[in-house]
Every structure is written in structure tokens, then in C-alpha cells.
Amino acid sequence: MNAIRPVWLWARRNWLLAGLACLVLGAGTIRLPDKLYVQSLQASLLSEPRTDAGQLATASRGDRLEPIAKKGRWYRVRVGSIEAWVHELLVGNAAPMSRVSILGDDVELGDNARRRASEITSAAASRGLTEAARENLGGTHSADYDALSWLEQISRQITESPLEELEE
Amino acid sequence: MSGFPSASTRPRFWILGLGLFGLLIASTALAGKRDRLPALEDNITPADVQAEIAFGRQVAARVLGVHPLLRDPELTIYVNRVGRRLTQFSNRPELEFVFGVLDSDEATALSAPGGYVFVTRGLIEQMHDEAELAAVLAHEIVHVGARHLVRDLEIRGADTGGLASLAQLVGGSFDPLRAAFSEVVEEVVDVLLEEGRPAQDELESDAGALILLAMAGYDPAALSRLLTRLEGLSPDRTKSLRELYPPLSERIARLREELDRQTPDAGQWKTGKDRFDEQLESSRLRSQGL
């Protein structure tokens, strides 16, 4: 049997090659999402799948793009009459979520329904997400909530601003 | 035995054919799975995001318990401004990123889920310009955006069923659940400070950082430039960088390959050097580039 097996395989090399070709083709087949949504504030739609390619158009957060191909980390998309490339880091398969916060005054949720802070606080409290509960978890690493609060306050002083040009 | 299949070998042919067909289906499915985007793969809900932030906040507080925060308001605002410029291109618009400076001589950076990003004073002192600061922040933003740690731990919000969700773990009424949550927090702090993330995640974040830099107008070569400089720094100031990350030489080589692919025509990128130098001088930090 030891001598027969290689001969049998050799005789069926065409079938094996065809099978391997199917595998390679299968592995190369990317199942594209139906739609892509821009997640970043702005997304450049480029003529080539590289960052220094010419910019054909700019899409904004929430814009819907139709993916038609993928190369590496880049999607080829159709928007209106334009076909262009966009990087996968800038898009997602669902409409972008509004800002979610466990600290904020108001919290916007995915369906754009705005809930009052008190509702969120109650919901959080009911799940035990109170500051006291969070600060008494124990464990081997000590925590510095005072420093964290200082940092969060500083960070929140910065209001969202539109894209500024980088001055040199 | 070398001719067309005999009656006795035909069944084997069909088995082979069926096997190949199965593999074809499996490989197609796997290819599809690889292509899934963060928002696609987990169908993230606002409750998941809240859990992610609450969890990350616990991790961040413990990081600050080990490495003290540098309470320099001007420098912190500056680092946050650079970070905000980058997060405008992030795929996680629902997160409010917070950027802080750790008062440590060691040159390193880390991030907790939910958007807490830290860079050390020791690393800032090795930087020559704003693009290099942006490069480090961008690497961490990609970690957070891709939910690297969260995905590995299967931390989910309240409505997913199955395993105990994060929100359930935080629930204060059951001691075992709180202990379990505390354990997961400690586990992630250990990954960040002692064990390191999977090498694949680090390399993915390097490549993603290059893209974020370019999108924000910064020099995409800034990360490889900074890492090359850090290669020459004494081991005691780069302990985490050498022990918790893939080898610097490998990261630099991959970044250069990626740069060749992504930006063959260099030239129009900004470094923000003047603004960076001005900020460091005002914060009395010793930039090696001054």
C-alpha cells in the first residue's frame, strides 16, 4: 500500500490542483459588508489605496458608502457616481453611535434619543455602577481616583473643534 | 494502478471532493470573518460601550495608582488637543478619549479600554516634534478603537445573556460577582504593566497609527523615527518597551515596509515642531530634540 498511495495521488493531480485552486480562490473571497458608514468626522475618498493618493471627495460622519471590493485594509466604495478608496479604520458597518459617557450630564444613545442624566444615573446605580461601588473593588493594585478625576476634568475643558489646519 | 480511478477508489475521490468543498466553504467563511469590522463583529450597543468605559476607568485608576499622574494642566491640555485631532479620525465616535501624562522616567505609553490613554514624561522627553507625540497617541487610539483588550476578555454589556456581563459583574449586591469584576480589572492591569498585549495587536496598532497620522496631516514616518531613536536608549528607561512589545527592530522594519506601501511620495506632511518645542519649554521638560 505504501507504494500505491503516491501513484494514486499523482494520477489525480489535476483534481488535486483544481481543489487547491478552489481553496485559494475561496480564501481570497472577501465577504463584503452590505453598507459601510463613515465613523470619522471626515473621511478622504482617494483615487488609490494609499494615504498619499489624490483625494476625489470627502465623506462626513454617518455618510453611507457602498463597498464593491477590498484590497488589504482599503475598501473600494461607490458613492453616487464616484468610485474611490477609503481605509477601514474610518468606517464601520453600522451607523455611528452618538457619544456615550458614564460621567456626563447628558448621555446620547444609539437611536439619538437623549436621556436625562438622572435616568442614566438611576440605571447605572441599579446595576451597581455607583462611584462608591466602583471605588471599593479591592484587588492588589491600588487605585488613584483623585488623579483620574483631575485628568477627566482637564480633558472635558477642551470643547470639540472642527478640523484645524496644522500650522508650521 | 495509475489509470483512471477504479470502482474501489472512486468513493475516495468523492470523499476528497467533498472534503475540498467543505474546506472551500470554511475558508470563505473565515475570510469573511477576518473582514469583520469592530462595529460589525460584535454589534456593539450603547450598554456595551458604557460597560467598556466603566471597566476602562477602573483600569485607568489602577494605572495611576502605580504611575503617578503629572499634574501639569498646560501640558495635559496640549496632549489632549493633539489626541483630539487624531480621534476625529477614529472609528469610535461614541468614546470620549482622555489623554494623560504619567510622571515616569521610563519611555512608554499605554491605554485602557473606553478611551484612557497615557504617555510618560520620559517618552515625551525623547520626542522631537508633535508628529512623534501624535504617533504614540495614535498607536494607543487604534488599540482602544479595535477593542483589543475588551474583545479578548469578552466584556459585554447587560443585555447579551450567556456569560456574566460586565454590568452584572459590577453589580454591588453579590460579592462573588464584584470579586470576579475586580479580578478581570486586575488581569488587564497586569497585561498593561507586566505581561504585554499580543504581538499581533501591537503590530496592528503600529500600522493603524501610520494611517491615523496621515489622515490627520502628520508625518506618518514619525513612529518609526521615534522607535529608531528609542532603540539607542538605555535599557532601564525602555524596560516596558523591550519586554512588553514585539522587538523594536521588527516593529521598525514593518513600519518602513508599510510606509513604502502607503506613502511612496513623501514630503507634504507636517511635524508641528515649533508648537511642540514651545510647549515642552513652557512645561520645563527636556526634549532631546531641542
Side-chain angles (χ1 to χ4, degrees):
Chain A
M1 282 301 284
N2 287 345
I4 293 170
R5 197 175 294 271
V7 172
W8 187 90
L9 285 172
W10 177 248
R12 274 132 205 94
R13 61 192 182 278
N14 289 341
W15 289 104
L16 285 170
L17 285 173
L20 280 172
C22 282
L23 269 179
V24 170
L25 282 172
T29 305
I30 297 288
R31 200 171 56 202
L32 292 169
D34 295 337
K35 294 284 175 204
L36 292 173
Y37 295 84
V38 175
Q39 307 289 319
S40 55
L41 193 64
Q42 286 181 5
S44 297
L45 303 178
L46 305 171
S47 59
E48 300 286 336
R50 33 171 243 266
T51 56
D52 62 350
Q55 185 171 310
L56 299 178
T58 305
S60 301
R61 181 171 291 163
D63 283 355
R64 210 165 64 167
L65 314 171
E66 185 191 342
I68 50 178
K70 190 163 189 208
K71 186 176 180 185
R73 302 276 183 181
W74 294 84
Y75 282 105
R76 185 157 179 79
V77 294
R78 190 179 289 131
V79 199
S81 58
I82 296 174
E83 283 189 11
W85 295 91
V86 65
H87 197 276
E88 69 172 13
L89 273 180
L90 308 181
V91 296
N93 79 307
M97 259 188 245
S98 297
R99 182 63 50 83
V100 174
S101 173
I102 59 166
L103 312 165
D105 303 314
D106 282 359
V107 179
E108 288 184 26
L109 297 180
D111 57 358
N112 290 328
R114 185 176 281 264
R115 295 191 185 180
R116 292 297 308 159
S118 57
E119 290 175 26
I120 293 298
T121 309
S122 328
S126 69
R127 294 202 301 266
L129 284 168
T130 61
E131 193 67 16
R134 281 187 262 131
E135 292 191 12
N136 287 305
L137 288 167
T140 53
H141 296 100
S142 64
D144 189 345
Y145 293 96
D146 182 54
L148 188 62
S149 298
W150 182 89
L151 183 60
E152 285 166 344
Q153 276 170 20
I154 292 270
S155 168
R156 293 177 80 196
Q157 284 174 19
I158 303 167
T159 52
E160 295 287 348
S161 58
L163 291 170
E164 320 148 23
E165 285 300 312
L166 274 172
E167 334 90 56
E168 278 294 81
Chain B
M1 292 295 288
S2 61
F4 205 72
S6 66
S8 63
T9 55
R10 262 181 203 149
R12 277 191 273 176
F13 161 72
W14 286 112
I15 289 166
L16 179 68
L18 277 173
L20 286 172
F21 182 70
L23 280 170
L24 171 66
I25 298 295
S27 61
T28 308
L30 281 174
K33 193 176 178 190
R34 270 200 305 276
D35 190 47
R36 295 169 111 189
L37 298 163
L40 177 67
E41 68 182 319
D42 293 329
N43 193 20
I44 304 167
T45 65
D48 292 326
V49 178
Q50 279 190 321
E52 185 181 344
I53 298 168
F55 174 75
R57 196 166 187 273
Q58 289 295 326
V59 174
R62 277 154 185 76
V63 167
L64 292 173
V66 176
H67 296 295
L69 186 70
L70 183 67
R71 297 199 191 205
D72 177 335
E74 270 191 34
L75 179 65
T76 306
I77 287 173
Y78 172 68
V79 172
N80 274 275
R81 286 225 163 96
V82 175
R84 288 284 175 90
R85 185 190 298 278
L86 295 161
T87 56
Q88 292 180 106
F89 297 95
S90 158
N91 57 357
R92 302 292 306 279
E94 70 273 20
L95 294 180
E96 190 171 358
F97 280 80
V98 173
F99 301 87
V101 181
L102 302 178
D103 194 4
S104 165
D105 287 333
E106 199 184 342
T108 192
L110 49 92
S111 55
Y116 293 91
V117 175
F118 300 105
V119 54
T120 62
R121 172 181 49 74
L123 183 51
I124 292 179
E125 287 175 344
Q126 294 304 318
M127 295 168 180
H128 283 190
D129 53 44
E130 190 174 288
E132 292 181 0
L133 171 62
V136 170
L137 302 182
H139 173 102
E140 300 302 332
I141 290 166
V142 176
H143 274 312
V144 174
R147 303 174 76 247
H148 280 153
L149 289 169
V150 183
R151 206 174 42 193
D152 294 345
L153 293 168
E154 295 183 346
I155 295 164
R156 298 300 307 260
D159 307 323
T160 53
L163 293 169
S165 71
L166 180 69
Q168 287 166 335
L169 287 181
V170 182
S173 43
F174 297 105
D175 283 347
L177 286 180
R178 287 187 57 206
F181 176 69
S182 174
E183 204 171 293
V184 179
V185 169
E186 296 289 330
E187 203 178 300
V188 167
V189 175
D190 283 344
V191 167
L192 292 178
L193 300 179
E194 287 159 34
E195 295 163 16
R197 296 167 183 262
Q200 187 54 40
D201 289 357
E202 297 295 357
L203 298 173
E204 193 182 315
S205 291
D206 279 350
L210 189 151
I211 300 294
L212 274 191
L213 285 171
M215 294 297 168
Y218 286 114
D219 178 8
L223 187 54
S224 59
R225 212 168 51 224
L226 177 64
L227 292 182
T228 305
R229 193 173 313 123
L230 294 176
E231 258 192 321
L233 200 61
S234 68
D236 60 313
R237 293 194 66 182
T238 49
K239 192 168 177 289
S240 300
L241 202 62
R242 290 178 198 276
E243 292 178 4
L244 307 185
Y245 289 80
L248 276 169
S249 54
E250 184 188 347
R251 294 178 66 191
I252 294 164
R254 282 176 182 255
L255 276 167
R256 286 183 180 154
E257 276 173 28
E258 194 66 13
L259 276 169
D260 286 344
R261 262 199 301 273
Q262 297 293 343
T263 60
D265 303 322
Q268 78 274 38
W269 310 107
K270 309 287 186 190
T271 62
K273 180 163 177 55
D274 291 347
R275 191 164 43 193
F276 180 80
D277 288 346
E278 202 178 301
Q279 183 56 56
L280 259 65
E281 203 173 330
S282 127
S283 294
R284 296 178 182 172
L285 295 187
R286 305 174 302 278
S287 165
Q288 305 302 304
L290 284 175

